[in-house]
Amino acid sequence: KKAIHSQRNMSHHSNLSDAVTDPKSALPKGQYTPAHILQYEHLMGHNFMSCGGLKTTKKYAAPLEKYGNAIGEGTRILDVGCGIGGSAFYFASLGATVLGVDLSTTSIAIAKERLKEQSEEVQKRCTFVLGDALQLEYEDASFDLVYSRDAILHIPYAQKTELFKLAAKWLKPTGHVLLTDYGTRPDPSDKLKEYAKKRGYYLSTPEGYADIVEGAGFTVLEGPDRTWDYVTSSHAELRHLEATKDEFVGLYGEEAYKSIGKVYRDKIDMCLDNDRSFVMILASPLSHMKTRTEVLASCQDVFNSGLVMGTDGNVSSRVPGHDLMAIKASGVDYPSMTLRDVVVCEMDGTPLPGEKKPSSEINLHIGLYAHRPDFKAVVHTHSTYASAVSCTRKDMPCFHYSMGEVTTLMSF
């Protein structure tokens, strides 16, 4: 697929040997020189350029399991703004296949060098590409997760929406977007405005970020304000800097030590002054997720109520605003069901790309929805008493005001 290198307001370093081997070789001329990258890595952890490093990566990825999308064998991840590869290496160690994309030649060069240090399996699962995510092309429904750590702040506001709309296309129906980024507050100070302008940052409030994501067709499941995570992680990283001063100064010099310490303290102060924020968002396609969650909950309810057993029965629901339905997958027993076992289909029963096989009784649901456009959901149970009555093949007249007439629809 094509990868076009966009010249946004970011620094690039073309001497790839210097970018990898010698932390003193390049004077800081921008945000992503080799020296700056390696200085931040010293604080954030090996292979990381994002706040909290591996610790916060694990923390923010953990809820994916709750939503039926735990990272493991077969997971396909697009890492937008992959930096020097830390998150990609971690996800690949869990069995995922990761495509890392970044605009910085320096970051990609270091990521490729660091990849050589990883296990053979991780090397097979990771690919790093220099390019602009907005100008990359992927097949629809080809990723389980679109992931980004502290990188989308470089993208102008209108293009953020465009990126998330592309993410919605690239994601499988059960996929998610997981991102963190630096943010602001509703009334940022002149100091923060100047800070963002100088660095070419396009910051938003946590709530504003959530609005952008939801405006692209997602629903926010976790987040969006995690400023305190940032403050506590930054304090820990600052303490690490102070504890390793001699090592840091030996590599980068006294001025670099003072400079990065000041940057950290200023950022922490801006957060504590309620001027700056930190955003974490876990989101999924809006229409699908809400309906999937409702169908899964109904499946669990009918099983726990003793109305079905084994894999018998099924539940479906229309997807509001779309000519789609969500229905229990075929052959799945109720206790083990996750959101992946709720299949989104066209109204003729054709599953969307990446979905499982729908219930073998889907034609029952198709017929009911076609005959009754006012039906919003269908619950098909095998309750003990109703099953016993149906075996008699006799109609049951209404004998109480709280019940309806029971009629045998077909004989087998």
Side-chain angles (χ1 to χ4, degrees):
K1 301 295 183 180
K2 69 177 180 179
I4 300 174
H5 185 195
S6 169
Q7 298 297 324
R8 281 210 188 91
N9 186 19
M10 297 180 66
S11 300
H12 304 288
H13 186 76
S14 58
N15 190 333
L16 303 190
S17 60
D18 285 352
V20 176
T21 58
D22 184 2
K24 287 185 174 179
S25 65
L27 294 174
K29 295 180 181 178
Q31 297 173 57
Y32 297 100
T33 63
H36 274 160
I37 288 173
L38 298 177
Q39 287 168 26
Y40 278 98
E41 181 192 26
H42 183 94
L43 279 70
M44 295 172 172
H46 189 51
N47 296 326
F48 281 91
M49 292 172 60
S50 51
C51 175
L54 180 59
K55 183 177 180 179
T56 51
T57 297
K58 290 181 176 180
K59 177 178 180 177
Y60 296 144
L64 287 165
E65 182 173 3
K66 177 171 63 175
Y67 296 104
N69 197 19
I71 296 172
E73 198 72 36
T75 304
R76 297 194 70 233
I77 300 174
L78 175 63
D79 186 352
V80 178
C82 61
I84 57 177
S87 293
F89 300 149
Y90 169 64
F91 294 145
S93 74
L94 301 178
T97 300
V98 187
L99 174 60
V101 180
D102 204 291
L103 285 165
S104 168
T105 56
T106 312
S107 297
I108 290 295
I110 296 176
K112 288 181 176 180
E113 286 296 316
R114 299 291 177 81
L115 182 59
K116 297 174 184 177
E117 303 171 1
Q118 306 301 312
S119 70
E120 185 176 344
E121 285 303 308
V122 169
Q123 290 184 45
K124 290 178 182 177
R125 292 171 181 151
C126 286
T127 303
F128 295 106
V129 174
L130 179 68
D132 183 344
L134 284 163
Q135 299 188 45
L136 296 174
E137 295 179 352
Y138 303 108
E139 293 181 4
D140 291 358
S142 56
F143 292 101
D144 298 285
L145 179 67
V146 174
Y147 174 86
S148 183
R149 288 297 308 271
D150 311 349
I152 298 176
L153 75 169
H154 295 287
I155 300 176
Y157 299 112
Q159 290 178 295
K160 293 184 198 292
T161 300
E162 180 184 346
L163 175 62
F164 292 122
K165 286 182 177 179
L166 287 171
K169 289 178 56 181
W170 296 334
L171 282 171
K172 297 177 183 178
T174 53
H176 291 82
V177 163
L178 174 59
L179 69 93
T180 65
D181 215 349
Y182 300 111
T184 183
R185 292 299 182 189
D187 296 306
S189 66
D190 291 339
K191 177 182 177 181
L192 182 59
K193 290 177 182 177
E194 182 62 28
Y195 169 86
K197 181 179 179 181
K198 181 179 178 181
R199 289 161 175 77
Y201 292 170
Y202 298 86
L203 304 178
S204 182
T205 64
E207 296 76 17
Y209 227 126
D211 288 343
I212 292 171
V213 173
E214 291 186 338
F218 290 87
T219 187
V220 174
L221 305 172
E222 304 271 344
D225 193 336
R226 296 297 175 90
T227 306
W228 192 244
D229 284 354
Y230 176 81
V231 171
T232 53
S233 294
S234 294
H235 269 302
E237 289 163 3
L238 189 56
R239 288 194 297 271
H240 176 69
L241 173 67
E242 294 165 348
T244 59
K245 177 180 178 180
D246 291 345
E247 177 187 353
F248 189 96
V249 170
L251 286 169
Y252 308 108
E254 183 74 29
E255 286 304 312
Y257 174 81
K258 292 178 179 177
S259 176
I260 199 168
K262 183 179 186 306
V263 168
Y264 261 74
R265 293 182 185 92
D266 285 348
K267 289 180 178 179
I268 292 170
D269 287 345
M270 282 189 280
C271 289
L272 295 178
D273 290 340
N274 203 31
D275 201 20
R276 183 173 176 147
S277 64
F278 188 71
V279 181
M280 189 287 289
I281 288 178
L282 174 63
S284 65
L286 176 63
S287 56
H288 298 169
M289 180 55 65
K290 186 173 186 295
T291 308
R292 283 181 200 276
T293 304
E294 292 170 346
V295 170
L296 177 60
S298 296
C299 286
Q300 293 168 339
D301 285 346
V302 295
F303 177 78
N304 293 333
S305 299
L307 299 176
V308 293
M309 59 191 306
T311 63
D312 294 341
N314 31 69
V315 177
S316 72
S317 174
R318 292 183 188 270
V319 178
H322 299 270
D323 202 23
L324 300 169
M325 77 167 85
I327 187 169
K328 178 181 176 293
S330 178
V332 180
D333 62 339
Y334 289 87
S336 66
M337 278 190 71
T338 70
L339 288 172
R340 286 182 177 272
D341 300 313
V342 179
V343 181
V344 177
C345 307
E346 305 284 351
M347 293 307 290
D348 65 359
T350 303
L352 298 186
E355 294 282 6
K356 293 185 174 184
K357 181 181 177 181
S359 169
S360 59
E361 295 177 311
I362 192 170
N363 285 336
L364 169 67
H365 298 254
I366 292 171
L368 288 168
Y369 288 130
H371 184 65
R372 292 291 300 271
D374 57 320
F375 280 8
K376 300 296 189 295
V378 174
V379 180
H380 169 206
T381 70
H382 286 201
S383 58
T384 303
Y385 298 132
S387 297
V389 170
S390 70
C391 288
T392 69
R393 300 188 181 183
K394 294 181 179 179
D395 295 345
M396 179 184 293
C398 177
F399 61 85
H400 190 274
Y401 72 90
S402 65
M403 68 173 285
E405 187 172 304
V406 178
T407 302
T408 302
L409 297 179
M410 61 182 70
S411 297
F412 297 91

